[in-house]
Amino acid sequence: MRVKMKIKHLIAVLTGFVGLVALFIFVVSPNVSNSNAQQSEKTDLLAQLEDGNLSDEERWKRIEKDIISLFQIKPYDVYKSPGSTELTSSSENRNEEWIPYIREYIEEIPEQKKLPPQNGYYKEAVEKLAKYYEKKQNWEEATNILNQGMDALPEDTDGYQTFKVQKLLVESYQHPASALEKLNKVKPYEVKGYHYAELLKRQTKLLMDAGQLDEAYEKLTKGMEYLERNHAVLKSIQDRLEAWKNGENLVTYQGKLQTEEGEPLSHAKVFLVNPERKGNSFTEKQSPGAITDEQGHFKIEALPKGDYQLMLAMTLEQVDGYTWPVESDEWLNVKSDMKRNITLPSLIKINSPINDQTVKGDKVEFSWEPVEQAAYYQLHFGIQFEGGGITSTASEHIESNAFEMSKQAFLFQSFGTVWTSTGDGEGKIAPESLLGLSNPNVDMYWYVDAYNEQGEILTSSNGFRLSKEHAAQIPYFHYEKQTLKEADNLLLDGKMDEAFAAYKQKLKQDPEDLHSQRMLYEIISSNRDMSRYEQLQKALPYLKELAERTDLKNYWHQLATHAYLEGDWERYRKYVEKQDESRHAWDGYDWGKYAIVSMKMGNDDESENYFLNSLEEDGSNRFSLSYAMLELHRTGNFEKAKQIVEKYPERSLRSVNWVQRLEGIRSQVEESAETKELFQEGLDRYTSDGHHSFKQWVDQLDNEPLSEFFDTLE
């Protein structure tokens, strides 16, 4: 997945493919994820099944063990949320050629072999094939398969009961009204517990969709009493209905999921995740959601008011040639009934370089088709290597549909650090992430995003390319063969200390060697045993030289970060200005950091304006607490500070209720003179000290509640 990460926050810990393009590779070229040996085994299997040399018994056993047991189906291929994408694994949903053999098995296997306990494969085959047709929204064929299974098995078998429940669930999507009547008649003692839980969930959803909230709550609550274990999904639905029973006004969110041409995406899923659920897997179905109808319409009923992030679940065919470029800080504030469509724009058409083209010379050029209403573009690079990959932003404000950069700027693109799992919990550095584009052995790709004048993303070239038309623009390329140095090879061999010494020796021999300076900086920055301040302090001589001689934005930014941590505010502003000479587009993060610097310089009014700019730009409101601290330091008024965090609630993985936390701090301050004195000292330090020295003070603070509070401050 690609999480929007600028170089400023790019110390990544990744173990798999990164970037939506990485997912696209997985789809177009399965051998990236599946070995040639696996593909060969599948080909051999199909050949054996077709050559007629297997006996019937051998044929059934091969289908059972090598097809039915391995065939996996999930309702959707792609799960998309703001800033990230999940794709079902390579073993799922990609074996269409197995379908005829599963159908053959269901229809032709001798009757006596269908019966349990001798054969659990028959039950598995019927379930999986029915789910396959459910995924295709072929309800009629799914029902036919389940009917075949029910006809083959006695009513008292587990298989028969499973098929019966699955058939009723299929009917609930095809004919909701008639299915609801049947669901209302189901008794919990008539079916197994896990079957009853599925039926109860669907029954409650249909009642809620029909606006029958009282009946939904009554049936859900009574039904849950029969279940032996707690079901998180049912509990989350019950919590919503209980809020309504307690007087909370629930609202409705509805709209249409469509492409930019107006084509509906039918039978996809739209669901909402609030800050408390953010960070958990959004495939767990514990969030309010709805499946789109044939026209792409969806309606999520009985929704508590609040902040949510939209999530989508779709098939590969639905996303082919399209993207949903929603950024990670985009939130939906649902205060009342809301109607808003979700539109997937077409991918930006990229021109060059594509299709493994080799780029040569001292200039590297990228071009793409212009996007209507685009004010500027952002260009990103990605690299892939065995076991991982990572992306990085190359330029943030390009006003034309082409971009040219020098060879040096290209090769010196910084990606951060990828850590891969070693199985013992320790992890190790993927050296390819440090060497970046200077390594001729990595796969290089690029993509571009388009923005309007308001800084809102319009579309991207970053998406799935499955059809012949879209697959003609594969964003992979090579740079003319670079020669790896001795130190580079040591690095790639995982000999980090030896590589560091070799780069230092090379730099001593040739003080003009910028590559060695860059790699010394990258190795130091990857050291997890050092704080960021310690990393930058050690790398400072190399960093200054790199910034002065390359004038690349990243190096000026890292110098600004060092000044920020050290508390040298004039130097910080100087380096930020140098960074802005490269047309760096400011976002909420930049405004927030500048607001903190202004606060620490004593420019409170200027700081407040910058905080407001940050909160306007950043949907996550990550700097709302810092703004509240400015107000608290200026006025000593906890109520005003609470009003700020209430007006701009933080939306993040930690999901802290800062109104309650501030109230708790105020109570402690009022109860203890010692706590009051410590809190005031911390507030004074936060609003004036460098970040490094402030954190050192916090680490030594012998007051756990205050230490935890101050440690969360930006």
Side-chain angles (χ1 to χ4, degrees), residues 212-410:
Q212 302 174 39
L213 301 188
D214 266 321
E215 188 175 354
Y217 178 75
E218 180 182 346
K219 289 188 177 295
L220 177 62
T221 302
K222 183 177 291 186
M224 289 177 67
E225 293 175 358
Y226 289 93
L227 298 174
E228 294 182 358
R229 64 183 182 87
N230 181 42
H231 287 258
V233 176
L234 295 178
K235 183 65 171 65
S236 68
I237 299 172
Q238 186 184 45
D239 289 344
R240 291 159 57 194
L241 290 171
E242 281 184 349
W244 172 75
K245 294 286 286 186
N246 293 330
E248 183 176 336
N249 291 325
L250 302 183
V251 296
T252 298
Y253 172 61
Q254 61 182 315
K256 180 180 180 181
L257 179 60
Q258 60 187 0
T259 67
E260 67 177 8
E261 294 86 7
E263 290 296 318
L265 274 66
S266 59
H267 307 290
K269 189 168 185 181
V270 178
F271 46 114
L272 300 170
V273 174
N274 61 25
E276 286 71 31
R277 290 283 308 148
K278 184 94 165 78
N280 296 324
S281 171
F282 54 80
T283 62
E284 293 176 0
K285 305 178 184 178
Q286 294 183 25
S287 300
I291 294 175
T292 60
D293 63 17
E294 294 291 342
Q295 289 74 45
H297 296 117
F298 62 89
K299 191 175 186 180
I300 304 176
E301 301 271 16
L303 187 65
K305 297 177 182 179
D307 293 318
Y308 296 90
Q309 284 202 321
L310 274 169
M311 309 284 186
L312 304 179
M314 301 164 287
T315 65
L316 287 171
E317 291 76 15
Q318 288 174 323
V319 297
D320 178 27
Y322 295 95
T323 185
W324 189 47
V326 182
E327 300 193 279
S328 57
D329 61 357
E330 184 165 324
W331 291 79
L332 194 67
N333 184 234
V334 184
K335 296 180 179 178
S336 59
D337 290 346
M338 176 182 290
K339 187 173 184 179
R340 180 183 296 180
N341 294 339
I342 304 170
T343 301
L344 274 58
S346 298
L347 295 174
I348 298 174
K349 182 179 179 181
I350 55 176
N351 296 328
S352 178
I354 58 174
N355 301 337
D356 287 324
Q357 176 184 346
T358 298
V359 178
K360 300 179 179 180
D362 293 332
K363 300 289 184 182
V364 186
E365 299 179 2
F366 299 86
S367 67
W368 54 93
E369 292 298 308
V371 175
E372 188 176 352
Q373 298 183 349
Y376 64 93
Y377 302 88
Q378 288 188 358
L379 176 68
H380 312 270
F381 293 136
I383 56 173
Q384 279 191 307
F385 42 85
E386 185 177 353
I390 193 168
T391 62
S392 181
T393 301
S395 183
E396 296 182 337
H397 200 100
I398 304 169
E399 295 184 354
S400 69
N401 61 309
F403 184 71
E404 179 182 275
M405 63 194 310
S406 68
K407 174 181 178 179
Q408 183 183 78
F410 174 77

Side-chain angles (χ1 to χ4, degrees), residues 39 48 59 69 72 84 111 119 126 135 172 217 265 268 279 297 396 407 434 476 481 584 607 622 670 688 700:
Q39 186 63 34
Q48 290 175 27
R59 183 179 179 81
S69 63
Q72 299 293 324
S84 68
E111 292 297 322
N119 189 358
V126 172
K135 179 180 177 179
S172 74
Y217 178 75
L265 274 66
H297 296 117
E396 296 182 337
K407 174 181 178 179
L434 305 186
Y476 274 78
K481 195 73 172 178
H584 167 65
S607 174
R622 65 181 293 174
E670 291 176 348
S688 60
Q700 297 171 3

